[in-house]
Amino acid sequence: MSKIGRRFEGKVAIVTASTQGIGFAIAQRLGLEGASIVISSRKQQNVDEAVEKLRAQGVQNVIGVVCHVSNAQQRKNLIEKTVEKYGKVDVVVSNAAANPSTESIINTKDSVLDKLWEINVKASILLLRVHSTINPTEISRLLAQDAAPHMPKGSAVVLVASIAGYHPPASMAMYGVTKTALLGLTKALASEMAPDIRVNCIAPGFVPTHFASFITGNVELRKELEAQTLLNRLGTTEDMGAAVAFLASDDASYITGETLVVAGGMPSRL
Ligand code: NAP
């Protein structure tokens, strides 16, 4: 990891699906930069282990809350526990996704289409809805303090889309389309939440994680993917953590509604 700063001192960050892979690396980076971290995923044991791992790495302010992102009660609890413990929410990273099908879109079952929409797109919206309704205490405090008629200045949301959102590949077509939706959602939410809350997105290339192992675990496929990059390698979870930390930090204070492609130069868009 390159030398890192302390851009999140005094900030509170929630990262969904953060017990391993990209989500964990995002939480790790924000935590090492000084943020108080809220880890979450579906399984208590994974949550406990990830919290311990971060503590062992020197991130002292970290709690874990179980949250399956499509469970409304658990989403509410995630935000409530955060506010109870740390009093506010400065950064929300919506990182959870499912990819339950390798079928063509036409042949994907209704129930699978629903699940993809529910977890990959709708949960991000609902999480933010809870975020903006749970924050009134903090908003009121800041209102009184700064006379600002909005949420705390500098709050940031980062969504995790995918390079697959630009050109949905045949083997994960509908998943890709849900990620395309996140590119649009980023623009729309940025407009709704402006001017005080910025909303941005990253589109990772291929990163060898559990989620991507059905592709990156295949030696031939992996070589093909590496060849599609300009940098001759797949991404690392740390590459993604660094990109999210930039977008969530004040270094990106004039950037909103944008998607940063973090894919080693893989074809995406002009
Ligand atoms: P990963 O290493 O397999 O980790 C997945 C994490 O998500 C785990 O912590 C898991 O913990 C949690 N999780 C799964 N379903 C969840 C749910 N419904 N609610 C809450 N937590 C859930 O996956 P990853 O590769 O880091 O993927 C993270 C994000 O990056 C996804 O949005 C994915 O689309 C995106 N992405 C990945 C790649 C890649 O090549 N890896 C490329 C582009 C985009 P539990 O089992 O405890 O829930």
Side-chain angles (χ1 to χ4, degrees), residues 16-207:
T16 67
S18 51
T19 54
Q20 62 175 359
I22 292 171
F24 181 80
I26 294 168
Q28 181 185 46
R29 178 66 188 243
L30 298 176
L32 290 174
E33 289 212 39
S36 298
I37 296 295
V38 184
I39 286 283
S40 71
S41 81
R42 293 168 300 182
K43 300 186 191 108
Q44 185 72 57
Q45 193 186 341
N46 293 347
V47 169
D48 294 343
E49 285 172 9
V51 166
E52 277 318 304
K53 212 167 142 189
L54 280 189
R55 288 214 176 106
Q57 294 174 358
V59 178
Q60 288 316 316
N61 291 326
V62 51
I63 58 168
V65 181
V66 166
C67 176
H68 187 314
V69 294
S70 59
N71 180 318
Q73 191 51 47
Q74 291 185 1
R75 275 197 311 270
K76 191 164 178 284
N77 189 46
L78 174 65
I79 306 292
E80 280 176 0
K81 286 277 174 339
T82 305
V83 174
E84 238 172 73
K85 175 75 181 171
Y86 297 122
K88 59 174 182 163
V89 184
D90 298 294
V91 175
V92 175
V93 182
S94 183
N95 170 64
N99 182 24
S101 170
T102 50
E103 291 280 2
S104 65
I105 290 177
I106 296 293
N107 290 321
T108 303
K109 281 193 208 147
D110 282 17
S111 59
V112 173
L113 291 175
D114 289 344
K115 181 174 178 185
L116 279 163
W117 172 252
E118 182 85 27
I119 292 177
N120 296 9
V121 184
K122 202 170 134 191
S124 298
I125 302 168
L126 296 178
L127 184 71
L128 293 175
R129 192 182 290 170
V130 181
H131 174 217
S132 48
T133 54
I134 196 82
N135 238 347
T137 333
E138 175 61 4
I139 295 167
S140 317
R141 193 180 69 73
L142 287 160
L143 264 177
Q145 206 177 57
D146 302 338
H150 301 290
M151 293 184 68
K153 280 194 169 59
S155 290
V157 174
V158 183
L159 308 182
V160 177
S162 168
I163 191 80
Y166 290 96
H167 300 278
S171 62
M172 43 175 147
M174 196 56 214
Y175 162 83
V177 173
T178 62
K179 296 297 192 177
T180 313
L182 292 185
L183 310 182
L185 184 63
T186 301
K187 291 278 181 210
L189 285 178
S191 162
E192 282 187 20
M193 300 179 94
D196 288 338
I197 300 180
R198 297 179 300 103
V199 182
N200 290 296
C201 178
I202 64 160
F206 287 85
V207 182

